[in-house]
Amino acid sequence: MVKETFKFSIRRLIQTKINGGIILLFVAVAAMLIANSPLQEHYASLLSKNISLTIGNFNLFDRHDGNPMTLLDFINDALMAIFFFSVGLEIKRELLVGELSTPRKALLPVVAACGGMIMPVLLFCLIGQPGLAMRGAAIPMATDIAFSLGVLSLLGKKVPLSLKIFLTAFAVVDDIGGIIIIALFYSSHLVMNYIIAAAAVVALLYIGGRQGIHNKLFFIFFGIVVWCLFINAGIHPTIAGVIVAFTVPARPKLHIYKYVNNIRESLKRLPEDSNEIILSNSELSILKSIESASNKVVSPLQAMDDDLRTLVNYIIMPLFAFANASISFEGVTLASLQGVSVTIFISLVVGKLVGIFSFTYLSIKAGWLTMPDKMNTRMLFGISLLGGIGFTVSLFIANLSYSGIGDEGAMLLNQAKIGIIGASLFAGVCGYFYLKYALNKKTRK
């Protein structure tokens, strides 16, 4: 009984999205505690250990400068490539059948996302300090889908489906903006030979998908090849994950109606009253054909998206948070927080709120767009507040902005982390209570 209860609890933990957000929060707090404890040296030593997977003289985890990746590099450049591959699959699905599949559906979240990207960057540039700090202007651009949806799910069944769809859609567009920024501004020392080779492999993946290759190992193997070529080409390797995701076929090999008919015919051929423990060869053949048909009715895009969800939400993202959310409070004063920390805090909380709300509200008020079903202005304001939760991608861009530029860069990165985590918590708490008020107000009416 206890064993079954434990198994059920674990299944519920994995199936509930909010628990993924809670795990991230706990891991981030653990990283901060370790960074300010006697374990700090062991933590730093662990993250600086070299990672290698050698085949002869070839090391899969060599960087373009010939040096092996550290554990921190492996998490940020290799594991996060899988995260961005998952994001790419989600973007492709939304573009094909989701809220971004038609101009009419896509226009409102695209407008909201544009406001949510433009205003924070403008605010950062207006109030930020000149010099190296300006490298982080793109940090407040992104909204964390997992955390923001997690906060929204705390409000239960009162939340209209349109509200969740709107938040997911504009957060996906935010991700597209972040990916473009990473591709344009965080790649350097481009090597054309590797770029051409990577383009050829991507073309092979695309043609293979169009010609009916649905084997997931085909896309995984050549996806790793593209990732390696991107590292050596000087393009940030996480972009490889997004590009490869767009080559994965979205159409299944077998239509659902044909599948159902095939299953019915196969089931008719199975005996109804057999008590045999061992199946006959014909029964085994029928069951294998059913299994094969079941695999063909799910597209590679949907299958890989489903397969990766647990890995990304419960392993990759917590590892990323553990490696990157460590904040050292040694030497931190109110004066030092007035720099990048306050700039990012204001840019995320105020910039996101003003950008998302004003762009969306004015477009609706002008008659260009319509408010989603069962949404109102109060709910739009609350969702705009949740847009200030910028945890994962914001931390990722902060690392790209300030890593590897000496002691000043390390100080700026630490300040950036304080600003991101502080803003995300503030936006999450304020968004939750405001939406709770807005939803209760609607219920009373």
Side-chain angles (χ1 to χ4, degrees):
M1 181 68 181
V2 175
K3 186 177 178 182
E4 289 303 313
T5 305
F6 178 74
K7 283 182 178 179
F8 176 75
S9 301
I10 293 295
R11 281 200 301 272
R12 286 293 301 271
L13 175 69
I14 290 173
Q15 290 168 358
T16 308
K17 284 185 180 179
I18 180 58
N19 287 325
I22 289 173
I23 289 169
L24 273 183
L25 184 61
F26 275 111
V27 170
V29 170
M32 284 187 274
L33 291 173
I34 291 170
N36 294 277
S37 75
L39 295 172
Q40 193 276 333
E41 286 186 13
H42 299 287
Y43 171 81
S45 174
L46 174 67
L47 292 178
S48 63
K49 288 191 179 299
N50 290 338
I51 299 290
S52 65
L53 179 61
T54 56
I55 304 168
N57 294 324
F58 173 73
N59 180 13
L60 180 64
F61 299 125
D62 266 351
R63 302 187 61 81
H64 66 274
D65 57 8
N67 294 318
M69 286 185 178
T70 62
L71 179 59
L72 180 62
D73 294 329
F74 173 75
I75 292 169
N76 289 345
D77 291 349
L79 294 186
M80 285 303 283
I82 300 173
F83 166 78
F84 277 99
F85 176 76
S86 176
V87 169
L89 293 174
E90 187 172 358
I91 291 169
K92 183 172 181 178
R93 188 185 68 236
E94 289 295 320
L95 289 170
L96 290 173
V97 296
E99 290 306 300
L100 305 177
S101 58
T102 65
R104 188 163 177 262
K105 284 183 176 181
L107 207 50
L108 191 67
V110 167
V111 166
C114 286
M117 289 186 282
I118 292 168
M119 290 303 295
V121 173
L122 281 177
L123 257 180
F124 190 101
C125 293
L126 284 171
I127 65 176
Q129 296 174 335
L132 283 177
M134 279 296 147
R135 291 168 62 102
I139 291 170
M141 279 181 60
T143 296
D144 191 290
I145 297 177
F147 262 128
S148 53
L149 281 177
V151 173
L152 202 58
S153 68
L154 284 173
L155 295 163
K157 295 180 180 178
K158 291 181 182 179
V159 180
L161 180 61
S162 58
L163 209 61
K164 294 179 182 177
I165 291 170
F166 177 68
L167 173 60
T168 303
F170 84 68
V172 166
V173 179
D174 264 3
D175 283 341
I176 296 172
I179 289 161
I180 292 169
I181 291 297
I182 292 167
L184 292 178
F185 298 105
Y186 295 101
S187 299
S188 59
H189 310 297
L190 299 180
V191 182
M192 287 307 300
N193 288 343
Y194 286 109
I195 292 174
I196 293 167
V201 179
V202 170
L204 175 66
L205 284 167
Y206 175 76
I207 293 167
R210 295 287 291 181
Q211 294 299 315
I213 297 177
H214 281 211
N215 191 314
K216 288 184 281 188
L217 288 177
F218 173 80
F219 294 95
I220 292 168
F221 175 78
F222 285 107
I224 293 170
V225 172
V226 174
W227 178 81
C228 289
L229 291 169
F230 268 45
I231 288 178
N232 289 284
I235 301 172
H236 199 274
T238 53
I239 302 300
V242 180
I243 293 173
V244 171
F246 272 78
T247 69
V248 176
R251 289 184 181 276
K253 268 194 169 183
L254 188 63
H255 198 280
I256 184 71
Y257 298 116
K258 190 174 181 181
Y259 167 76
V260 171
N261 290 330
N262 288 350
I263 293 297
R264 284 175 180 157
E265 291 300 319
S266 297
L267 291 175
K268 287 177 184 176
R269 290 156 52 202
L270 288 172
E272 295 181 6
D273 55 354
S274 175
N275 292 319
E276 296 294 330
I277 296 174
I278 303 298
L279 298 171
S280 68
N281 288 336
S282 62
E283 290 168 345
L284 188 62
S285 176
I286 292 167
L287 290 172
K288 282 187 174 180
S289 71
I290 292 173
E291 182 184 14
S292 175
S294 300
N295 290 331
K296 289 175 183 176
V297 83
V298 181
S299 71
L301 184 144
Q302 196 169 3
M304 294 178 89
D305 184 35
D306 186 62
D307 291 343
L308 285 173
R309 197 161 295 165
T310 300
L311 175 67
V312 168
N313 290 341
Y314 299 99
I315 297 176
I316 292 176
M317 289 178 70
L319 276 173
F320 174 80
F322 182 74
N324 293 279
S326 57
I327 298 170
S328 174
F329 293 104
E330 186 180 349
V332 173
T333 63
L334 285 175
S336 67
L337 292 178
Q338 290 173 10
V340 169
S341 298
V342 170
T343 303
I344 290 174
F345 185 94
I346 294 172
S347 300
L348 268 173
V349 175
V350 179
K352 280 284 185 183
L353 171 62
V354 172
I356 294 167
F357 182 79
S358 64
F359 274 54
T360 309
Y361 180 77
L362 291 174
S363 298
I364 292 168
K365 205 71 176 171
W368 301 332
L369 301 170
T370 56
M371 184 77 78
D373 185 41
K374 296 183 181 178
M375 263 182 69
N376 58 33
T377 305
R378 287 194 186 96
M379 292 180 195
L380 175 61
F381 189 87
I383 284 293
S384 302
L385 267 171
L386 289 186
I389 302 174
F391 189 79
T392 307
V393 179
S394 291
L395 282 174
F396 187 75
I397 295 176
N399 271 285
L400 295 178
S401 302
Y402 298 131
S403 291
I405 51 173
D407 292 339
E408 186 179 355
M411 180 191 69
L412 289 170
L413 179 57
N414 197 62
Q415 290 179 358
K417 290 177 181 180
I418 294 172
I420 292 164
I421 293 173
S424 298
L425 288 173
F426 184 84
V429 171
C430 290
Y432 169 78
F433 283 108
Y434 187 86
L435 277 170
K436 189 175 182 180
Y437 156 76
L439 291 166
N440 287 338
K441 192 99 173 171
K442 187 184 179 186
T443 305
R444 283 198 294 271
K445 284 184 179 180

mmCIF file of all heavy atoms in Angstrom, residues 316-345:
data_model
loop_
_atom_site.group_PDB
_atom_site.id
_atom_site.type_symbol
_atom_site.label_atom_id
_atom_site.label_comp_id
_atom_site.label_asym_id
_atom_site.label_seq_id
_atom_site.Cartn_x
_atom_site.Cartn_y
_atom_site.Cartn_z
ATOM 1 N N ILE A 316 17.500 18.933 -16.701
ATOM 2 C CA ILE A 316 18.327 19.970 -17.332
ATOM 3 C C ILE A 316 18.122 21.333 -16.686
ATOM 4 O O ILE A 316 19.092 22.006 -16.311
ATOM 5 C CB ILE A 316 18.044 20.025 -18.853
ATOM 6 C CG1 ILE A 316 18.553 18.744 -19.519
ATOM 7 C CG2 ILE A 316 18.708 21.256 -19.480
ATOM 8 C CD1 ILE A 316 18.238 18.634 -20.991
ATOM 9 N N MET A 317 16.869 21.762 -16.524
ATOM 10 C CA MET A 317 16.628 23.084 -15.950
ATOM 11 C C MET A 317 17.074 23.185 -14.486
ATOM 12 O O MET A 317 17.687 24.188 -14.095
ATOM 13 C CB MET A 317 15.163 23.478 -16.126
ATOM 14 C CG MET A 317 14.823 23.795 -17.589
ATOM 15 S SD MET A 317 13.098 24.217 -17.865
ATOM 16 C CE MET A 317 13.001 25.815 -17.072
ATOM 17 N N PRO A 318 16.815 22.172 -13.637
ATOM 18 C CA PRO A 318 17.373 22.250 -12.280
ATOM 19 C C PRO A 318 18.907 22.267 -12.257
ATOM 20 O O PRO A 318 19.499 22.992 -11.450
ATOM 21 C CB PRO A 318 16.831 20.980 -11.607
ATOM 22 C CG PRO A 318 15.563 20.689 -12.332
ATOM 23 C CD PRO A 318 15.838 21.064 -13.760
ATOM 24 N N LEU A 319 19.552 21.491 -13.139
ATOM 25 C CA LEU A 319 21.023 21.539 -13.212
ATOM 26 C C LEU A 319 21.497 22.926 -13.631
ATOM 27 O O LEU A 319 22.476 23.455 -13.088
ATOM 28 C CB LEU A 319 21.536 20.489 -14.208
ATOM 29 C CG LEU A 319 21.709 19.064 -13.686
ATOM 30 C CD1 LEU A 319 22.066 18.130 -14.834
ATOM 31 C CD2 LEU A 319 22.784 18.997 -12.610
ATOM 32 N N PHE A 320 20.801 23.521 -14.608
ATOM 33 C CA PHE A 320 21.144 24.875 -15.039
ATOM 34 C C PHE A 320 20.994 25.861 -13.885
ATOM 35 O O PHE A 320 21.857 26.712 -13.655
ATOM 36 C CB PHE A 320 20.255 25.288 -16.213
ATOM 37 C CG PHE A 320 20.446 26.720 -16.639
ATOM 38 C CD1 PHE A 320 21.522 27.081 -17.452
ATOM 39 C CD2 PHE A 320 19.582 27.712 -16.207
ATOM 40 C CE1 PHE A 320 21.720 28.398 -17.824
ATOM 41 C CE2 PHE A 320 19.765 29.037 -16.581
ATOM 42 C CZ PHE A 320 20.840 29.372 -17.389
ATOM 43 N N ALA A 321 19.893 25.744 -13.141
ATOM 44 C CA ALA A 321 19.661 26.636 -12.004
ATOM 45 C C ALA A 321 20.734 26.432 -10.934
ATOM 46 O O ALA A 321 21.252 27.407 -10.368
ATOM 47 C CB ALA A 321 18.274 26.385 -11.414
ATOM 48 N N PHE A 322 21.098 25.181 -10.669
ATOM 49 C CA PHE A 322 22.119 24.887 -9.657
ATOM 50 C C PHE A 322 23.465 25.489 -10.052
ATOM 51 O O PHE A 322 24.205 25.992 -9.205
ATOM 52 C CB PHE A 322 22.256 23.372 -9.484
ATOM 53 C CG PHE A 322 23.249 22.980 -8.427
ATOM 54 C CD1 PHE A 322 22.945 23.130 -7.086
ATOM 55 C CD2 PHE A 322 24.499 22.474 -8.772
ATOM 56 C CE1 PHE A 322 23.871 22.782 -6.101
ATOM 57 C CE2 PHE A 322 25.420 22.124 -7.809
ATOM 58 C CZ PHE A 322 25.110 22.279 -6.459
ATOM 59 N N ALA A 323 23.783 25.444 -11.343
ATOM 60 C CA ALA A 323 25.087 25.933 -11.817
ATOM 61 C C ALA A 323 25.128 27.448 -11.987
ATOM 62 O O ALA A 323 26.205 28.046 -11.918
ATOM 63 C CB ALA A 323 25.443 25.261 -13.148
ATOM 64 N N ASN A 324 23.970 28.068 -12.205
ATOM 65 C CA ASN A 324 23.973 29.486 -12.591
ATOM 66 C C ASN A 324 23.266 30.435 -11.631
ATOM 67 O O ASN A 324 23.408 31.652 -11.769
ATOM 68 C CB ASN A 324 23.336 29.641 -13.976
ATOM 69 C CG ASN A 324 24.177 29.012 -15.067
ATOM 70 O OD1 ASN A 324 25.135 29.593 -15.545
ATOM 71 N ND2 ASN A 324 23.827 27.794 -15.451
ATOM 72 N N ALA A 325 22.487 29.902 -10.692
ATOM 73 C CA ALA A 325 21.749 30.793 -9.784
ATOM 74 C C ALA A 325 22.532 31.113 -8.521
ATOM 75 O O ALA A 325 22.016 31.762 -7.616
ATOM 76 C CB ALA A 325 20.409 30.166 -9.422
ATOM 77 N N SER A 326 23.782 30.667 -8.436
ATOM 78 C CA SER A 326 24.591 30.931 -7.246
ATOM 79 C C SER A 326 24.934 32.415 -7.168
ATOM 80 O O SER A 326 25.518 32.977 -8.093
ATOM 81 C CB SER A 326 25.879 30.100 -7.298
ATOM 82 O OG SER A 326 26.590 30.388 -8.481
ATOM 83 N N ILE A 327 24.533 33.043 -6.081
ATOM 84 C CA ILE A 327 24.812 34.460 -5.866
ATOM 85 C C ILE A 327 25.676 34.588 -4.622
ATOM 86 O O ILE A 327 25.311 34.088 -3.554
ATOM 87 C CB ILE A 327 23.510 35.272 -5.667
ATOM 88 C CG1 ILE A 327 22.638 35.188 -6.918
ATOM 89 C CG2 ILE A 327 23.811 36.725 -5.335
ATOM 90 C CD1 ILE A 327 21.249 35.748 -6.713
ATOM 91 N N SER A 328 26.809 35.245 -4.760
ATOM 92 C CA SER A 328 27.664 35.506 -3.605
ATOM 93 C C SER A 328 27.279 36.859 -3.013
ATOM 94 O O SER A 328 27.279 37.875 -3.711
ATOM 95 C CB SER A 328 29.138 35.507 -4.029
ATOM 96 O OG SER A 328 29.948 35.899 -2.935
ATOM 97 N N PHE A 329 26.933 36.863 -1.722
ATOM 98 C CA PHE A 329 26.557 38.113 -1.049
ATOM 99 C C PHE A 329 27.748 38.765 -0.345
ATOM 100 O O PHE A 329 27.582 39.780 0.328
ATOM 101 C CB PHE A 329 25.427 37.847 -0.048
ATOM 102 C CG PHE A 329 24.141 37.452 -0.711
ATOM 103 C CD1 PHE A 329 23.712 36.132 -0.702
ATOM 104 C CD2 PHE A 329 23.362 38.392 -1.370
ATOM 105 C CE1 PHE A 329 22.523 35.768 -1.317
ATOM 106 C CE2 PHE A 329 22.182 38.035 -1.999
ATOM 107 C CZ PHE A 329 21.759 36.720 -1.970
ATOM 108 N N GLU A 330 28.922 38.174 -0.530
ATOM 109 C CA GLU A 330 30.127 38.749 0.073
ATOM 110 C C GLU A 330 30.446 40.097 -0.588
ATOM 111 O O GLU A 330 30.587 40.185 -1.812
ATOM 112 C CB GLU A 330 31.314 37.795 -0.108
ATOM 113 C CG GLU A 330 32.564 38.260 0.615
ATOM 114 C CD GLU A 330 33.720 37.284 0.419
ATOM 115 O OE1 GLU A 330 33.481 36.179 -0.096
ATOM 116 O OE2 GLU A 330 34.849 37.647 0.775
ATOM 117 N N GLY A 331 30.535 41.123 0.214
ATOM 118 C CA GLY A 331 30.865 42.451 -0.312
ATOM 119 C C GLY A 331 29.707 43.174 -0.978
ATOM 120 O O GLY A 331 29.883 44.273 -1.503
ATOM 121 N N VAL A 332 28.505 42.540 -0.975
ATOM 122 C CA VAL A 332 27.345 43.199 -1.580
ATOM 123 C C VAL A 332 26.796 44.254 -0.622
ATOM 124 O O VAL A 332 26.515 43.970 0.544
ATOM 125 C CB VAL A 332 26.236 42.165 -1.923
ATOM 126 C CG1 VAL A 332 24.971 42.877 -2.402
ATOM 127 C CG2 VAL A 332 26.730 41.207 -2.992
ATOM 128 N N THR A 333 26.675 45.479 -1.085
ATOM 129 C CA THR A 333 26.123 46.582 -0.304
ATOM 130 C C THR A 333 24.972 47.218 -1.073
ATOM 131 O O THR A 333 24.774 46.936 -2.253
ATOM 132 C CB THR A 333 27.208 47.644 -0.032
ATOM 133 O OG1 THR A 333 27.633 48.175 -1.298
ATOM 134 C CG2 THR A 333 28.401 47.044 0.710
ATOM 135 N N LEU A 334 24.229 48.084 -0.390
ATOM 136 C CA LEU A 334 23.139 48.791 -1.061
ATOM 137 C C LEU A 334 23.660 49.623 -2.221
ATOM 138 O O LEU A 334 23.009 49.757 -3.256
ATOM 139 C CB LEU A 334 22.405 49.690 -0.060
ATOM 140 C CG LEU A 334 21.476 48.970 0.931
ATOM 141 C CD1 LEU A 334 20.912 49.958 1.937
ATOM 142 C CD2 LEU A 334 20.353 48.252 0.201
ATOM 143 N N ALA A 335 24.869 50.163 -2.042
ATOM 144 C CA ALA A 335 25.467 50.979 -3.107
ATOM 145 C C ALA A 335 25.754 50.135 -4.340
ATOM 146 O O ALA A 335 25.504 50.554 -5.473
ATOM 147 C CB ALA A 335 26.750 51.639 -2.607
ATOM 148 N N SER A 336 26.262 48.903 -4.131
ATOM 149 C CA SER A 336 26.595 48.046 -5.271
ATOM 150 C C SER A 336 25.340 47.556 -5.991
ATOM 151 O O SER A 336 25.359 47.299 -7.189
ATOM 152 C CB SER A 336 27.432 46.840 -4.807
ATOM 153 O OG SER A 336 26.673 45.978 -3.992
ATOM 154 N N LEU A 337 24.220 47.438 -5.251
ATOM 155 C CA LEU A 337 22.970 46.989 -5.863
ATOM 156 C C LEU A 337 22.326 48.059 -6.739
ATOM 157 O O LEU A 337 21.399 47.771 -7.494
ATOM 158 C CB LEU A 337 21.977 46.545 -4.779
ATOM 159 C CG LEU A 337 22.342 45.276 -3.996
ATOM 160 C CD1 LEU A 337 21.302 44.992 -2.932
ATOM 161 C CD2 LEU A 337 22.484 44.084 -4.928
ATOM 162 N N GLN A 338 22.810 49.294 -6.624
ATOM 163 C CA GLN A 338 22.227 50.373 -7.420
ATOM 164 C C GLN A 338 22.673 50.329 -8.887
ATOM 165 O O GLN A 338 22.220 51.127 -9.695
ATOM 166 C CB GLN A 338 22.594 51.737 -6.809
ATOM 167 C CG GLN A 338 21.885 51.990 -5.489
ATOM 168 C CD GLN A 338 22.366 53.249 -4.796
ATOM 169 O OE1 GLN A 338 23.106 54.037 -5.374
ATOM 170 N NE2 GLN A 338 21.955 53.433 -3.548
ATOM 171 N N GLY A 339 23.548 49.409 -9.208
ATOM 172 C CA GLY A 339 24.014 49.286 -10.585
ATOM 173 C C GLY A 339 23.145 48.350 -11.402
ATOM 174 O O GLY A 339 21.944 48.572 -11.597
ATOM 175 N N VAL A 340 23.737 47.266 -11.875
ATOM 176 C CA VAL A 340 23.049 46.319 -12.759
ATOM 177 C C VAL A 340 21.850 45.659 -12.079
ATOM 178 O O VAL A 340 20.820 45.420 -12.716
ATOM 179 C CB VAL A 340 24.051 45.248 -13.257
ATOM 180 C CG1 VAL A 340 23.330 44.110 -13.959
ATOM 181 C CG2 VAL A 340 25.054 45.879 -14.211
ATOM 182 N N SER A 341 21.948 45.387 -10.780
ATOM 183 C CA SER A 341 20.844 44.714 -10.067
ATOM 184 C C SER A 341 19.542 45.502 -10.168
ATOM 185 O O SER A 341 18.495 44.963 -10.552
ATOM 186 C CB SER A 341 21.209 44.499 -8.594
ATOM 187 O OG SER A 341 22.332 43.674 -8.468
ATOM 188 N N VAL A 342 19.613 46.785 -9.805
ATOM 189 C CA VAL A 342 18.413 47.631 -9.848
ATOM 190 C C VAL A 342 17.953 47.845 -11.293
ATOM 191 O O VAL A 342 16.755 47.843 -11.589
ATOM 192 C CB VAL A 342 18.683 48.985 -9.156
ATOM 193 C CG1 VAL A 342 17.537 49.963 -9.402
ATOM 194 C CG2 VAL A 342 18.864 48.779 -7.664
ATOM 195 N N THR A 343 18.905 48.011 -12.204
ATOM 196 C CA THR A 343 18.560 48.209 -13.622
ATOM 197 C C THR A 343 17.762 47.031 -14.156
ATOM 198 O O THR A 343 16.715 47.209 -14.805
ATOM 199 C CB THR A 343 19.834 48.394 -14.468
ATOM 200 O OG1 THR A 343 20.580 49.492 -13.960
ATOM 201 C CG2 THR A 343 19.487 48.652 -15.918
ATOM 202 N N ILE A 344 18.226 45.804 -13.877
ATOM 203 C CA ILE A 344 17.523 44.606 -14.353
ATOM 204 C C ILE A 344 16.186 44.448 -13.642
ATOM 205 O O ILE A 344 15.175 44.101 -14.263
ATOM 206 C CB ILE A 344 18.409 43.351 -14.179
ATOM 207 C CG1 ILE A 344 19.577 43.399 -15.166
ATOM 208 C CG2 ILE A 344 17.592 42.075 -14.369
ATOM 209 C CD1 ILE A 344 20.585 42.296 -15.003
ATOM 210 N N PHE A 345 16.171 44.721 -12.331
ATOM 211 C CA PHE A 345 14.926 44.606 -11.565
ATOM 212 C C PHE A 345 13.849 45.515 -12.160
ATOM 213 O O PHE A 345 12.728 45.073 -12.436
ATOM 214 C CB PHE A 345 15.188 44.981 -10.098
ATOM 215 C CG PHE A 345 13.987 44.788 -9.206
ATOM 216 C CD1 PHE A 345 13.820 43.604 -8.505
ATOM 217 C CD2 PHE A 345 13.020 45.780 -9.075
ATOM 218 C CE1 PHE A 345 12.708 43.417 -7.681
ATOM 219 C CE2 PHE A 345 11.907 45.607 -8.265
ATOM 220 C CZ PHE A 345 11.753 44.425 -7.567
#
